[in-house]
CSV table of all heavy atoms in Angstrom, one decimal:
chain,number,residue,atom,x,y,z
A,1,ARG,N,102.3,106.7,103.0
A,1,ARG,CA,103.5,106.2,103.6
A,1,ARG,C,103.5,106.1,105.1
A,1,ARG,O,104.0,105.1,105.6
A,1,ARG,CB,104.6,107.2,103.1
A,1,ARG,CG,105.1,106.9,101.8
A,1,ARG,CD,106.4,107.8,101.5
A,1,ARG,NE,105.7,109.0,100.7
A,1,ARG,CZ,106.1,110.2,100.9
A,1,ARG,NH1,106.9,110.6,101.7
A,1,ARG,NH2,105.5,111.2,100.2
A,2,LEU,N,102.7,106.9,105.8
A,2,LEU,CA,102.6,106.9,107.2
A,2,LEU,C,101.9,105.6,107.6
A,2,LEU,O,102.2,104.9,108.5
A,2,LEU,CB,101.9,108.1,107.8
A,2,LEU,CG,102.7,109.4,107.7
A,2,LEU,CD1,101.8,110.7,108.0
A,2,LEU,CD2,103.9,109.4,108.8
A,3,ALA,N,100.7,105.3,106.8
A,3,ALA,CA,99.9,104.1,107.1
A,3,ALA,C,100.8,102.9,106.9
A,3,ALA,O,100.7,101.8,107.7
A,3,ALA,CB,98.6,104.1,106.3
A,4,VAL,N,101.5,102.8,105.8
A,4,VAL,CA,102.4,101.6,105.5
A,4,VAL,C,103.4,101.5,106.6
A,4,VAL,O,103.6,100.4,107.1
A,4,VAL,CB,103.1,101.7,104.0
A,4,VAL,CG1,104.1,100.6,103.9
A,4,VAL,CG2,101.9,101.5,102.9
A,5,ASP,N,104.0,102.5,107.0
A,5,ASP,CA,105.0,102.4,108.1
A,5,ASP,C,104.4,101.9,109.5
A,5,ASP,O,105.0,101.1,110.0
A,5,ASP,CB,105.7,103.9,108.4
A,5,ASP,CG,106.6,104.1,107.2
A,5,ASP,OD1,107.0,103.4,106.4
A,5,ASP,OD2,107.0,105.5,107.1
A,6,ARG,N,103.2,102.5,109.6
A,6,ARG,CA,102.5,101.9,110.9
A,6,ARG,C,102.1,100.5,110.8
A,6,ARG,O,102.2,99.8,111.8
A,6,ARG,CB,101.2,102.7,111.2
A,6,ARG,CG,100.6,102.5,112.5
A,6,ARG,CD,99.4,103.4,112.7
A,6,ARG,NE,99.9,104.8,113.1
A,6,ARG,CZ,99.5,105.3,114.3
A,6,ARG,NH1,98.6,104.7,115.1
A,6,ARG,NH2,100.1,106.4,114.5
A,7,ARG,N,101.7,100.0,109.6
A,7,ARG,CA,101.3,98.6,109.5
A,7,ARG,C,102.6,97.7,109.6
A,7,ARG,O,102.6,96.7,110.3
A,7,ARG,CB,100.7,98.4,108.1
A,7,ARG,CG,100.2,97.0,107.9
A,7,ARG,CD,99.6,96.8,106.6
A,7,ARG,NE,100.5,96.9,105.7
A,7,ARG,CZ,100.3,97.0,104.3
A,7,ARG,NH1,99.2,97.1,103.8
A,7,ARG,NH2,101.3,97.1,103.5
A,8,LYS,N,103.7,98.1,109.0
A,8,LYS,CA,105.0,97.3,109.2
A,8,LYS,C,105.4,97.4,110.7
A,8,LYS,O,105.8,96.3,111.2
A,8,LYS,CB,106.1,98.0,108.4
A,8,LYS,CG,105.8,97.8,106.9
A,8,LYS,CD,107.1,98.5,106.1
A,8,LYS,CE,106.9,98.4,104.7
A,8,LYS,NZ,108.0,99.1,104.0
A,9,LEU,N,105.3,98.5,111.3
A,9,LEU,CA,105.7,98.4,112.8
A,9,LEU,C,104.8,97.5,113.6
A,9,LEU,O,105.3,96.8,114.4
A,9,LEU,CB,105.5,99.9,113.3
A,9,LEU,CG,105.9,100.1,114.7
A,9,LEU,CD1,107.5,99.7,115.0
A,9,LEU,CD2,105.7,101.5,115.2
A,10,ALA,N,103.5,97.5,113.3
A,10,ALA,CA,102.6,96.6,114.1
A,10,ALA,C,103.0,95.1,113.8
A,10,ALA,O,102.8,94.3,114.7
A,10,ALA,CB,101.1,96.9,113.6
A,11,ARG,N,103.2,94.8,112.6
A,11,ARG,CA,103.5,93.4,112.3
A,11,ARG,C,104.9,93.1,113.0
A,11,ARG,O,105.0,91.9,113.2
A,11,ARG,CB,103.8,93.2,110.7
A,11,ARG,CG,102.5,93.2,110.0
A,11,ARG,CD,102.6,93.0,108.5
A,11,ARG,NE,101.3,93.0,107.8
A,11,ARG,CZ,101.2,92.9,106.7
A,11,ARG,NH1,102.2,93.0,105.8
A,11,ARG,NH2,99.9,92.9,106.2
A,12,ARG,N,105.8,93.9,113.1
A,12,ARG,CA,107.1,93.5,113.8
A,12,ARG,C,106.9,93.3,115.2
A,12,ARG,O,107.6,92.6,116.0
A,12,ARG,CB,108.1,94.7,113.6
A,12,ARG,CG,108.8,94.6,112.4
A,12,ARG,CD,110.0,95.6,112.3
A,12,ARG,NE,109.9,96.3,111.1
A,12,ARG,CZ,109.9,97.6,111.0
A,12,ARG,NH1,110.3,98.4,112.1
A,12,ARG,NH2,109.7,98.3,109.9
A,13,ARG,N,105.8,94.1,115.9
A,13,ARG,CA,105.5,93.9,117.4
A,13,ARG,C,104.8,92.6,117.6
A,13,ARG,O,104.8,92.1,118.7
A,13,ARG,CB,104.7,95.0,117.7
A,13,ARG,CG,105.5,96.4,117.8
A,13,ARG,CD,104.5,97.4,118.3
A,13,ARG,NE,105.3,98.7,118.4
A,13,ARG,CZ,104.7,99.8,118.5
A,13,ARG,NH1,103.4,99.9,118.6
A,13,ARG,NH2,105.4,100.9,118.6
A,14,LEU,N,104.2,91.9,116.6
A,14,LEU,CA,103.5,90.7,116.9
A,14,LEU,C,104.4,89.5,116.9
A,14,LEU,O,105.2,89.4,115.9
A,14,LEU,CB,102.3,90.5,115.8
A,14,LEU,CG,101.1,91.4,115.8
A,14,LEU,CD1,100.2,91.1,114.8
A,14,LEU,CD2,100.4,91.3,117.2
A,15,PRO,N,104.5,88.7,117.7
A,15,PRO,CA,105.3,87.5,117.8
A,15,PRO,C,104.8,86.5,116.7
A,15,PRO,O,103.6,86.4,116.4
A,15,PRO,CB,105.2,87.0,119.2
A,15,PRO,CG,103.8,87.3,119.6
A,15,PRO,CD,103.6,88.7,119.0
A,16,HIS,N,105.7,85.7,116.2
A,16,HIS,CA,105.3,84.8,115.2
A,16,HIS,C,104.8,83.5,116.1
A,16,HIS,O,105.4,82.9,116.9
A,16,HIS,CB,106.5,84.3,114.4
A,16,HIS,CG,106.2,83.2,113.5
A,16,HIS,ND1,105.3,83.4,112.4
A,16,HIS,CD2,106.5,82.0,113.5
A,16,HIS,CE1,105.3,82.3,111.7
A,16,HIS,NE2,106.0,81.3,112.4
A,17,LEU,N,103.5,83.3,115.9
A,17,LEU,CA,102.8,82.3,116.7
A,17,LEU,C,103.0,80.9,116.2
A,17,LEU,O,103.2,79.8,116.9
A,17,LEU,CB,101.3,82.6,116.8
A,17,LEU,CG,101.0,83.8,117.4
A,17,LEU,CD1,99.5,84.2,117.4
A,17,LEU,CD2,101.5,84.0,118.9
A,18,GLY,N,103.1,80.7,114.8
A,18,GLY,CA,103.0,79.2,114.3
A,18,GLY,C,101.7,78.6,114.4
A,18,GLY,O,100.9,79.0,115.0
A,19,GLU,N,101.8,77.4,113.7
A,19,GLU,CA,100.5,76.7,113.6
A,19,GLU,C,100.0,76.1,114.9
A,19,GLU,O,98.8,76.2,115.1
A,19,GLU,CB,100.7,75.5,112.6
A,19,GLU,CG,100.9,75.8,111.2
A,19,GLU,CD,99.7,76.5,110.6
A,19,GLU,OE1,98.6,75.9,111.0
A,19,GLU,OE2,99.9,77.4,109.9
A,20,ASP,N,100.9,75.6,115.8
A,20,ASP,CA,100.4,75.0,117.0
A,20,ASP,C,99.8,76.0,117.9
A,20,ASP,O,98.7,75.9,118.5
A,20,ASP,CB,101.7,74.5,117.7
A,20,ASP,CG,101.3,73.8,119.0
A,20,ASP,OD1,100.2,72.9,119.0
A,20,ASP,OD2,101.8,74.0,120.1
A,21,ALA,N,100.4,77.2,118.0
A,21,ALA,CA,99.9,78.4,118.8
A,21,ALA,C,98.4,78.9,118.3
A,21,ALA,O,97.6,79.2,119.0
A,21,ALA,CB,100.8,79.4,119.0
A,22,LEU,N,98.5,78.9,116.9
A,22,LEU,CA,97.2,79.3,116.3
A,22,LEU,C,96.0,78.3,116.6
A,22,LEU,O,94.9,78.8,116.9
A,22,LEU,CB,97.4,79.6,114.8
A,22,LEU,CG,98.2,80.7,114.5
A,22,LEU,CD1,98.5,80.6,113.0
A,22,LEU,CD2,97.7,82.0,114.9
A,23,SER,N,96.3,77.1,116.7
A,23,SER,CA,95.2,76.0,116.9
A,23,SER,C,94.9,76.1,118.4
A,23,SER,O,93.8,76.0,118.8
A,23,SER,CB,95.7,74.7,116.6
A,23,SER,OG,96.9,74.4,117.4
A,24,ARG,N,95.8,76.5,119.3
A,24,ARG,CA,95.6,76.6,120.7
A,24,ARG,C,94.8,77.8,120.9
A,24,ARG,O,93.8,77.8,121.8
A,24,ARG,CB,96.8,76.6,121.5
A,24,ARG,CG,97.4,75.2,121.6
A,24,ARG,CD,98.5,75.3,122.6
A,24,ARG,NE,99.6,75.9,122.0
A,24,ARG,CZ,100.7,76.4,122.6
A,24,ARG,NH1,100.8,76.6,123.9
A,24,ARG,NH2,101.7,77.1,121.8
């Protein structure tokens, strides 16, 4: 449960980059 919570928190902190930003 602690690991899942940490993973969820890390995903919320990352901005959504989108296809254009990923290619850049």
Side-chain angles (χ1 to χ4, degrees):
R1 279 185 264 138
L2 289 169
V4 167
D5 289 348
R6 185 176 285 241
R7 186 179 66 191
K8 286 179 184 177
L9 182 62
R11 286 184 178 169
R12 278 189 235 134
R13 287 182 180 163
L14 292 175
H16 179 67
L17 296 175
E19 290 294 321
D20 184 49
L22 291 175
S23 65
R24 285 186 287 156

